[in-house]
Amino acid sequence: MAQEKFNPEHKSPCLDKNCSWCCNPVKVPRFLPPDKLPKDKGGQPLWTKRKELLVPEDSQTKLETYYCKNYDSATGKCTDYENRPDICKNTECVDPNSTELIDRQHQKVTSKKFSKITP
């Protein structure tokens, strides 16, 4: 079976590949402004800060981690995928301008290794 090339109508392969890499845990740049953190329809925070930082092997950039209220750990899926906030919709593990196949791009991102720091 041929591997899929990028399709602008279906950017991220998270549903097809049953992948929750970006939200288990949520990883964002350290010191993300509080107004950028997503809220639910009632104005309550969707994310709860974890007591750890992650540092990618290939970088010294520290990432803050969060639990997401909409993440279902039993299924590995978002419980409100269609209404997820923009910060989640804009998280992609594939580059539309890349000549690499989606599977290869996805594998590169999801196989990243991190060191964990507990402040």
Side-chain angles (χ1 to χ4, degrees):
M1 180 160 88
Q3 290 186 323
E4 180 183 9
K5 295 248 185 201
F6 180 77
N7 176 349
E9 295 299 314
H10 187 225
K11 293 182 181 180
S12 298
C14 50
L15 292 178
D16 291 344
K17 301 201 176 307
N18 200 25
C19 179
S20 58
W21 183 86
C22 61
C23 56
N24 181 27
V26 174
K27 299 171 256 329
V28 296
R30 193 170 186 197
F31 307 120
L32 185 71
D35 64 316
K36 299 286 184 194
L37 297 175
K39 303 216 180 333
D40 64 17
K41 292 175 185 172
Q44 296 301 309
L46 269 178
W47 299 348
T48 305
K49 196 171 196 172
R50 295 166 53 126
K51 294 181 180 178
E52 69 180 9
L53 296 172
L54 296 179
V55 181
E57 270 185 356
D58 59 355
S59 169
Q60 288 302 307
T61 303
K62 292 182 176 95
L63 303 173
E64 292 180 332
T65 60
Y66 291 83
Y67 296 103
C68 180
K69 183 167 40 173
N70 287 344
Y71 175 70
D72 180 343
S73 60
T75 65
K77 295 188 178 189
C78 180
T79 59
D80 195 13
Y81 187 81
E82 293 303 317
N83 298 309
R84 67 197 187 285
D86 287 341
I87 195 168
C88 299
K89 288 179 183 177
N90 294 332
T91 300
E92 298 175 6
C93 62
V94 295
D95 177 358
N97 300 315
S98 176
T99 58
E100 282 190 296
L101 297 173
I102 286 177
D103 283 348
R104 179 69 185 129
Q105 291 183 59
H106 178 257
Q107 188 272 330
K108 278 184 182 177
V109 171
T110 59
S111 67
K112 283 187 179 184
K113 303 262 189 262
F114 296 92
S115 295
K116 193 180 291 190
I117 300 171
T118 307

